[in-house]
Amino acid sequence: MTLEERYKIISNDYADLFIEYNRNPKLLEIFPNSTPHLINTRFAIAYVPSNQLNSTFISQFSYSAIPNLYGLTSQESLEASGVLKLRRVPDFNLLGKDVLVGIIDTGIDYKNPIFLHPDGSSKIQYIWDQALDSNNFPERFFYGTEFSKNQIEQALANSDPLSVVPSTDEIGHGTMLAGIMAGSEDAKNNFSGVAPEADLIVVKLKQAKQNLKDFYIIPPDIPCYQENDIMWGIEYILQRAEELKRPCAVCIGLGSSQGGHDGRGALTNILSIYSGIPGFIICLSAGNEGDKKRHHSNSITPSEAPKVFELNIGGQEPGFSMEFWGNPPNIYSIDILSPTGEFIPRIPESLKSHQLVSFLYERALIDVDYQLIESRTSAELILLRFHNPTPGIWKFHIYNRGNTAGAYNIWLPMNGFITNDTYFLQADPYTTITSPGDGTTPITATAYNPDNDSLYLGASKGYTRDGIIKPELAAPGVNIVAPTLDNGFSSSTGTGIAAAHIAGIAAIMLEWGIIRGFYPDMDTEVIKKYLIRGAKRSNILQYPNRDWGYGIVDIYNVFNVLRTDFPNIPK
């Protein structure tokens, strides 16, 4: 790739677009004046001039060509999940030795002592900082800067570490999750990571390009990451783990409310495939959308009058997107009533179309895109992008054309991408699992409070739009002590923390299964099934359920169960 072509990867003058080229290589030429960049044997990114990502793009090409945007899913856990109890069994004492954990997030504070082994060496094998552009990028990735363990240790020995390795975590989210997974013990602060002897591979994501944030009207100052950069991150961790010949548990504490919520997105597809690789475990967060009133669902029969739903738009809302997903084979359409009483009659359904809706007495504009059959989900998509919306109650009617009962779901953007004062009046807390947590094979974690065994109120709830059981497990995620950027500790909450906890437990199981040789080919599905078998369940609830999945993770009980299956493991 030439220097000019590399510039397109990081420049806002070019937009990143997905191409699924595996069945038709000619698709690599679908976008004019583009430069293709192959991620794997199925997906490529085309870097195209930004002016091609205009208001009519979806009607010309497709919704699925535009990467989704992801945000962060986090805001005395070891005893609650059985980790400390297991450590007290002398023949076990599983600490993640010789196992890797991977984190794709906001980076890491590599100078923090919890990321050092007792001998002073760094636990971090590699950092790929996508946001620092240089010629020292990973082979075939063509952007960012890679730092090795040797370089990190040279930096730690320098009086000015950042002059040697200038990679930082400005937000602290990645440092927090990495510490929960694999931070070394800090007895003074009563802290230990779940797998304190595991080593780390870190991917610091670059911020999403402004052209894509503008398209979806995302606030400029909110941490926001592109789907394709996360995909590159998982490719990188897998490649480095294979080179090191060590098993790896990966945590992705990010989420998006974009897409069909059915595990068929580009990222979720890749994660489900890679979850089948032995020794490569993927753990995801469920999201924190359960109490935010950003999901509405309903069903409608052919004989019924149009269904209505109402949307309150806050006074400080500059704009946002809203996605309507209708189940086939029915065909759906909408009309719109603004807070001032301006009525937009039923917008006719179309195979693929774009319409700009304007109002006589209001500044509001709405880009409306219809896709009768969205390419990845086969569902109908109506995407509405609101610009300068009038505050107040907006009313919509849903029309159904078909011979059967139809069901539909509508989602607003995730927390941070929209103001708290914009929400549905008839909200549904279920089917709010964010992507990639809706992926079929990875382990998806929800969060609970280990002090009182109560579910985190804000946790996203299952199932997926097409009924896949998500989340599978609950892990500690409320008021959890975690590392901060000042080498201190504070309490944090969120399903990202729960996902990091599960990833640490997965590292423990990899040590037992692969490093110690009791289950050399264990993959994500195997670990998931054993964690489900050992989970704690209430006598008054039925499992699985949309809140707790199969119950609360309990690694000690997992090994109690394993003893019946493997009589040769330590007693």
Side-chain angles (χ1 to χ4, degrees), residues 186-466:
D186 185 325
K188 180 181 177 182
N189 290 285
N190 194 30
F191 173 82
S192 173
V194 180
E197 291 190 8
D199 287 334
L200 290 124
I201 300 176
V202 178
V203 175
K204 177 181 176 177
L205 295 167
K206 68 178 178 67
Q207 290 290 319
K209 290 184 177 181
Q210 192 60 45
N211 54 52
L212 190 54
K213 295 175 75 171
D214 289 344
F215 186 84
Y216 281 115
I217 324 172
I218 306 296
D221 56 342
I222 296 297
C224 180
Y225 309 96
Q226 290 184 195
E227 186 173 16
N228 52 305
D229 287 325
I230 302 170
M231 292 171 68
W232 279 115
I234 202 74
E235 290 279 335
Y236 174 79
I237 292 174
L238 176 60
Q239 179 176 308
R240 289 292 175 259
E242 288 179 339
E243 290 171 359
L244 292 168
K245 295 181 171 57
R246 294 167 67 179
C248 183
V250 180
C251 171
I252 301 179
L254 305 164
S256 175
S257 285
Q258 293 180 284
H261 289 68
D262 55 6
R264 292 188 175 93
L267 175 60
T268 49
N269 183 282
I270 289 300
L271 294 179
S272 289
I273 292 172
Y274 288 2
S275 292
I277 298 174
F280 196 69
I281 315 304
I282 298 176
C283 305
L284 309 171
S285 58
N288 304 322
E289 296 296 306
D291 64 345
K292 305 300 189 299
K293 301 181 180 180
R294 300 192 186 114
H295 171 238
H296 171 78
S297 67
N298 211 333
S299 59
I300 183 171
T301 63
S303 60
E304 280 186 286
K307 289 292 178 74
V308 64
F309 72 93
E310 295 171 305
L311 173 68
N312 182 77
I313 297 183
Q316 303 300 315
E317 190 67 70
F320 61 94
S321 61
M322 181 174 78
E323 298 187 7
F324 172 102
W325 292 85
N327 290 359
N330 298 57
I331 299 174
Y332 308 86
S333 55
I334 62 171
D335 65 27
I336 305 171
L337 181 66
S338 78
T340 63
E342 285 203 55
F343 180 66
I344 303 299
R346 180 178 178 180
I347 302 171
E349 64 271 12
S350 176
L351 182 64
K352 186 184 286 190
S353 69
H354 170 265
Q355 180 173 334
L356 180 63
V357 174
S358 59
F359 297 84
L360 186 61
Y361 300 110
E362 304 177 36
R363 295 174 56 231
L365 295 172
I366 307 176
D367 281 296
V368 181
D369 283 285
Y370 271 85
Q371 284 204 306
L372 187 61
I373 301 176
E374 196 278 321
S375 60
R376 288 210 184 104
T377 66
S378 299
E380 180 180 345
L381 168 64
I382 306 174
L383 172 65
L384 297 93
R385 290 179 293 132
F386 291 76
H387 308 268
N388 301 311
T390 304
I393 306 297
W394 291 68
K395 185 178 290 188
F396 303 81
H397 286 96
I398 306 296
Y399 299 86
N400 170 37
R401 185 157 62 87
N403 298 321
T404 63
Y408 57 86
N409 291 266
I410 311 169
W411 287 278
L412 296 170
M414 68 174 292
N415 194 42
F417 291 4
I418 193 171
T419 67
N420 292 331
D421 294 328
T422 299
Y423 54 85
F424 294 116
L425 271 63
Q426 302 86 19
D428 178 2
Y430 292 98
T431 323
T432 51
I433 302 291
T434 56
S435 172
D438 56 357
T440 304
T441 311
I443 303 168
T444 302
T446 189
Y448 83 104
N449 188 337
D451 290 338
N452 56 20
D453 283 358
S454 63
L455 191 71
Y456 169 45
L457 184 63
S460 293
K461 297 170 173 57
Y463 297 137
T464 67
R465 184 172 60 86
D466 53 356

